[in-house]
Amino acid sequence: MDFTLHELACLDAVLSEGSFQAAAQKLHRSHPAIHTAVKNLEQRVGLVLLDRSHYRVRLTPAGEAFHRQAQALLRQAAGLNAICEQLQRGEETDLRVVIGDLTPTTEALSLLKRFFQNWPRTRLHLHFEVIGGPWERLLAEEADLILHHIDKSDTRFEWSDLFPVDVVPVIAPSLLAGRTPAEMSPDAMRELVQVIIRDSARAPGRDYFLIKDAANWTVADQHTKKGLILEGMGWGHMPLHLVRDELASGALLSLEGRHFHRSRLDIVAARLSSRAPGPVAAALWDYLSNAQSQ
């Protein structure tokens, strides 16, 4: 059954426009050419697809079943054609972005949503990693871009600031047992379980805010960590944007004071300085670099 996409397109145009003449105008073909294409299609498939007995042509019952499948094939062909045009322009069909555990997810996803609305043919592969995971993926060229904090003195990275994040030590009131946060020295905190994030990097990394010799539990993400701390199962350092409401309500208390302090980290968009980006990756970089002024 050797029909062509052109014949399918002619059939679809006749139905969408309501006549052979209107279909000819839409496809910039002559009326006889459209008529011949549809007639040839019917002969190839051995079916009468159009009922021509009315003012506006209609599908026969067989034509309705055939046309449904033809439309799906035409959509696939249009998508394939768009991909070919994109590849001819040198544009990436896929981009890999990693969001780090301290990055405000809502703000990051909002930025990515606005960008990819203008690049619908590029597929986003989004990953979430913690601590050293984003750096490891980027250095292994398993990511085109990361949204995370970095060592800005590391010349392997090119970076652009996005937003600062404060990290605060927090504890549930039930763990204080009548003591005030100011009384909780590092020695006192060794009596309690510290909840920490398990690094998603394959290679061992550095430990952040870890009290030496204290019991600790490891979790995979910040939301699980927050849940354990809220239940009084341990204490830990949390990004402020995730615990702001709980600190305001008193469900959590800050341990900031003489012994413990908040830290500020810059969340950046980072890429490898040695790797030339493609057109879409370059456009995403420019977009994120200008995000603070938008």
Side-chain angles (χ1 to χ4, degrees):
M1 199 176 296
D2 194 21
F3 54 79
T4 67
L5 286 174
H6 171 68
E7 291 168 348
L8 296 181
C10 289
L11 173 67
D12 189 61
V14 169
L15 294 167
S16 65
E17 302 304 309
S19 71
F20 285 90
Q21 184 60 48
Q25 293 175 352
K26 177 182 180 181
L27 297 179
H28 306 291
R29 298 287 192 273
S30 67
H31 179 283
I34 300 297
H35 188 276
T36 299
V38 174
K39 194 65 178 176
N40 287 343
L41 177 62
E42 290 180 312
Q43 290 175 350
R44 293 182 199 276
V45 300
L47 297 168
V48 178
L49 302 174
L50 293 179
D51 180 353
R52 299 166 173 82
S53 63
H54 302 276
Y55 174 72
R56 289 175 64 92
V57 292
R58 302 177 183 176
L59 287 167
T60 63
E64 289 180 359
F66 181 87
H67 184 240
R68 280 195 298 272
Q69 295 301 316
Q71 283 183 308
L73 186 57
L74 287 170
R75 285 193 295 269
Q76 290 177 340
L80 183 59
N81 185 61
I83 289 295
C84 289
E85 292 176 353
Q86 186 174 8
L87 291 171
Q88 289 169 357
R89 294 191 298 267
E91 296 173 358
E92 306 94 304
T93 57
D94 300 82
L95 275 186
R96 302 158 301 170
V97 176
V98 176
I99 295 180
D101 59 296
L102 295 179
T103 302
T105 306
T106 300
E107 290 85 342
L109 295 181
S110 179
L111 287 172
L112 293 173
K113 175 185 175 181
R114 290 200 296 271
F115 175 80
F116 281 97
Q117 283 174 338
N118 296 319
W119 297 89
R121 294 293 178 183
T122 297
R123 183 170 54 176
L124 170 64
H125 297 273
L126 192 61
H127 300 272
F128 294 85
E129 300 279 354
V130 302
I131 308 180
W135 311 323
E136 185 176 76
R137 275 187 177 265
L138 186 58
L139 291 169
E141 298 191 10
E142 296 173 358
D144 299 292
L145 187 106
I146 64 172
L147 307 181
H148 195 42
H149 58 92
I150 65 165
D151 178 358
K152 291 183 176 181
S153 67
D154 191 330
T155 58
R156 294 175 296 176
F157 300 128
E158 185 178 2
W159 52 270
S160 180
D161 282 320
L162 291 179
F163 16 71
V165 167
D166 287 338
V167 180
V168 296
V170 295
I171 192 169
S174 60
L175 276 185
L176 292 176
R179 296 170 290 186
T180 66
E183 296 178 68
M184 304 304 290
S185 66
D187 286 338
M189 297 303 288
R190 285 192 181 90
E191 305 170 7
L192 305 176
V193 172
Q194 185 177 4
V195 185
I196 60 176
I197 296 286
R198 184 166 54 251
D199 197 338
S200 63
R202 293 180 290 270
R206 58 175 291 190
D207 294 319
Y208 289 87
F209 311 118
L210 187 63
I211 292 185
K212 188 178 180 181
D213 299 328
N216 61 73
W217 291 349
T218 63
V219 296
D221 59 83
Q222 295 286 357
H223 291 282
T224 304
K225 180 178 178 180
K226 174 182 173 180
L228 266 63
I229 294 173
L230 275 170
E231 290 296 326
M233 299 170 71
W235 70 280
H237 289 75
M238 290 292 301
L240 181 58
H241 62 269
L242 289 183
V243 294
R244 183 176 281 107
D245 291 343
E246 289 75 14
L247 288 171
S249 69
L252 291 176
L253 299 176
S254 171
L255 288 165
E256 293 176 85
R258 175 184 173 189
H259 301 288
F260 297 96
H261 311 278
R262 75 170 57 192
S263 298
R264 171 160 288 197
L265 296 171
D266 291 328
I267 300 300
V268 304
R271 64 184 181 183
L272 290 180
S273 55
S274 59
R275 187 179 177 193
V280 183
L284 177 57
W285 180 262
D286 291 342
Y287 171 78
L288 293 174
S289 297
N290 295 318
Q292 288 186 321
S293 60
Q294 294 175 11

